[in-house]
Amino acid sequence: MIWGFAAALAGMLLYGVASVSQAYAASRASGSAVLRHPAYVLGMAGDGLAWVCSIAALATLPLFVVQSLLAGSVAVTVLLALAVLHVPVTRHDLIGVAAVVSGLTLVSAAAGGESTAAAPCWFGAAMIGAVVAMIVLGAVLYVRGTSLALASVGGLAFSGSALGARGAHLGQGTLTSAVSNPLTWAVIAFGILGAVTYARSLERGPVGAATAAMWVVEAVVPGALGVALLGDSVRPGWAPAAVAGIALAVLGCLRLSRSAAHESPPA
């Protein structure tokens, strides 16, 4: 389990570094030039590595723990922005960081073992159906959806990716078994959809609000489904602490979404 925590924490740090790196690129370039800026490319690579870390963490930790820890990247972004982008951090930001850290501590302490039981027989078909439905919804919203709607769909898509990876036990099998598993391709499709809809949400509204919407969905939905459908467990007697920890982490993320660290700094 210790390696799972290490992987999840690495993912949290990488997501935070990636956000700050992309914000730095946005402050030094404009338009399509942002996509070619080395800092932006570095940020995208960080996102990819963070996703790999999250898959590795799911091999030994319940979904609700992994997703809550990854949501802590919002706090990492705020603190790194202070050092790298010289964005001022307010007292409210520090309260948000404290809430996130306290919540994640509770969630981590409440973690039970990840279930090794197979997913229900209908799970694979349901995930394939869900990814098709989500792609259709994402295509409709891409044209006329609001920023929050697009970010929420992005959060649901990333939730589907995490849920599929957990149900398929991708971190535990061989490469051959992963490639031959239809859930693997559903996980990839969900991940691509999440990246596209979240990027589109940033074109339609403030990055802070969009990021908060995405992470709130990601912290709650897959964790709840992991417990309900896949046998993820909480330590005996620790259910109230787990719920309180997730609530604290979500509230902290919402508070930090309004930080200046989540806006592009001036060039």
Side-chain angles (χ1 to χ4, degrees):
M1 187 177 288
I2 188 171
W3 292 110
F5 277 113
L9 289 172
M12 178 183 73
L13 292 172
L14 283 166
Y15 274 131
V17 170
S19 295
V20 173
S21 183
Q22 290 162 355
Y24 178 84
S27 73
R28 296 296 185 272
S30 60
S32 61
V34 173
L35 304 180
R36 300 189 299 271
H37 195 284
Y40 186 86
V41 175
L42 179 63
M44 292 299 293
D47 283 335
L49 286 173
W51 183 80
V52 172
C53 287
S54 72
I55 298 300
L58 288 171
T60 57
L61 291 176
L63 259 170
F64 74 90
V65 176
V66 175
Q67 296 305 115
S68 296
L69 287 171
L70 294 177
S73 64
V74 178
V76 175
T77 298
V78 170
L79 295 177
L80 282 178
L82 170 64
V84 177
L85 303 177
H86 307 295
V87 174
V89 174
T90 68
R91 181 182 64 178
H92 293 295
D93 292 336
L94 295 177
I95 292 173
V97 170
V100 169
V101 172
S102 299
L104 297 184
T105 299
L106 281 174
V107 169
S108 300
E114 183 206 20
S115 172
T116 57
C121 60
W122 49 264
F123 182 79
M127 291 298 292
I128 298 297
V131 75
V132 172
M134 289 288 293
I135 288 173
V136 173
L137 178 59
V140 172
L141 290 177
Y142 193 88
V143 177
R144 60 186 64 185
T146 65
S147 176
L148 288 180
L150 285 159
S152 297
V153 170
L156 286 173
F158 284 128
S159 297
S161 183
L163 195 63
R166 167 64 183 81
H169 298 286
L170 292 186
Q172 299 175 346
T174 64
L175 179 60
T176 301
S177 64
V179 170
S180 62
N181 191 336
L183 271 178
T184 300
W185 302 104
V187 167
I188 294 172
F190 271 126
I192 293 172
L193 176 62
V196 170
T197 51
Y198 175 61
R200 183 65 165 174
S201 75
L202 299 182
E203 298 176 13
R204 297 290 179 87
V207 62
T211 301
M214 182 187 70
W215 276 118
V216 166
V217 172
E218 281 197 71
V220 175
V221 173
L225 291 177
V227 172
L229 301 178
L230 301 177
D232 286 350
S233 62
V234 180
R235 287 173 60 188
W238 280 75
V243 173
I246 292 172
L248 266 176
V250 167
L251 289 174
C253 287
L254 290 172
R255 172 62 260 180
L256 291 172
S257 71
R258 299 166 61 187
S259 169
H262 291 287
E263 305 298 335
S264 296

